[in-house]
Amino acid sequence: MPYNPGIQDRSGEYLAQGIGQLGEGIQRGLQSYAQNKQMASLALGRFEGALQANPDILKFLNPEEPSPNAPSDVVKAYMRLQKDGTVGVRDASMLSTFADTYTKAKEDKQQQEFRQMQMQQMAQQQAYQKQQQDADDQMNARMQQYHRIGKELGGENSDMAAQSYGPEVVARVKKFLDSSAAQVTADGTRLTPQMRVALEQGDAT
């Protein structure tokens, strides 16, 4: 530039500023690249961990047998990962999100099936308890009936009562009245089947 006392030569300053801005831009680009690479690596790590825990995820990522449960972009991202061994942050995030969603849905389904199994078991237990209670009620009602028939057979009209009930019933009633169970239940005490079995075993010895 020709010498001119009225004009300052600032070209060097502008050049230095331009070089500085270029350096800052390169640094920001490198930082962004490193951050994206780290984010992609973390996302791929989550995806690979999900595959180890749920290998059946892969059946949704088969391009030859596309699944409506896997978006085409996710399948393409997995194909790029298979081809190149790595993918960018966008593809890695899609794969990770899909795997997380599948894992969560599978866990929810398993929990729902477990709750349904618990409810079925509870219903079966309640039905069994009711069946046992009904059997206990019938057994105790029959023993009290035998007590009443025994009183009739020992009353003034015993012959008429014996004829009315028949020899089989009379025999069962007499056998019951000679048992320990009859002595225990004479005042209306209830027995469980286990208690009656124990009394009968005691009578047999």
Side-chain angles (χ1 to χ4, degrees):
M1 178 178 181
Y3 175 73
N4 189 334
I7 301 177
Q8 296 182 355
D9 184 2
R10 303 184 64 182
S11 59
E13 180 182 347
Y14 295 148
L15 178 61
Q17 290 178 352
I19 294 174
Q21 291 175 354
L22 177 61
E24 291 176 359
I26 294 174
Q27 185 177 6
R28 285 196 298 270
L30 291 175
Q31 290 176 346
S32 177
Y33 172 78
Q35 290 174 351
N36 287 340
K37 187 175 182 180
Q38 183 179 14
M39 291 173 61
S41 178
L42 292 174
L44 284 178
R46 291 196 300 270
F47 175 69
E48 292 171 357
L51 284 184
Q52 292 179 357
N54 300 289
D56 48 341
I57 292 177
L58 291 177
K59 67 183 180 182
F60 297 102
L61 300 177
N62 185 355
E64 297 180 359
E65 298 179 3
S67 169
N69 296 318
S72 59
D73 288 346
V74 175
V75 176
K76 292 176 182 178
Y78 181 69
M79 293 175 62
R80 284 191 287 270
L81 176 63
Q82 291 293 97
K83 178 182 178 181
D84 301 333
T86 186
V87 289
V89 64
R90 180 178 179 275
D91 285 349
S93 297
M94 283 196 300
L95 291 171
S96 175
T97 300
F98 174 75
D100 290 343
T101 302
Y102 175 84
T103 301
K104 180 65 167 55
K106 184 176 180 179
E107 290 175 351
D108 291 344
K109 182 179 179 181
Q110 290 175 340
Q111 291 178 358
Q112 183 179 5
E113 291 175 348
F114 179 71
R115 286 193 295 269
Q116 289 177 347
M117 182 184 68
Q118 284 184 318
M119 292 177 63
Q120 291 175 353
Q121 291 177 343
M122 186 179 299
Q124 292 174 352
Q125 181 67 19
Q126 291 175 346
Y128 174 77
Q129 291 176 348
K130 186 179 185 304
Q131 184 180 9
Q132 289 295 105
Q133 185 62 48
D134 291 344
D136 291 353
D137 291 343
Q138 292 176 4
M139 181 190 70
N140 283 280
R142 185 166 56 250
M143 288 190 293
Q144 293 305 316
Q145 183 184 29
Y146 284 173
H147 280 298
R148 291 192 296 271
I149 294 175
K151 291 179 181 180
E152 293 182 30
L153 294 175
E156 297 179 355
N157 300 319
S158 58
D159 293 340
M160 185 180 299
Q163 185 177 2
S164 173
Y165 289 112
E168 292 184 4
V169 174
V170 171
R172 287 200 299 269
V173 170
K174 287 183 177 180
K175 182 180 180 180
F176 168 72
L177 293 176
D178 290 338
S179 68
S180 299
Q183 298 177 15
V184 175
T185 59
D187 61 352
T189 300
R190 291 176 58 88
L191 294 181
T192 64
Q194 294 81 1
M195 293 169 62
R196 183 170 183 179
V197 170
L199 291 171
E200 291 176 349
Q201 290 176 346
D203 292 340
T205 57

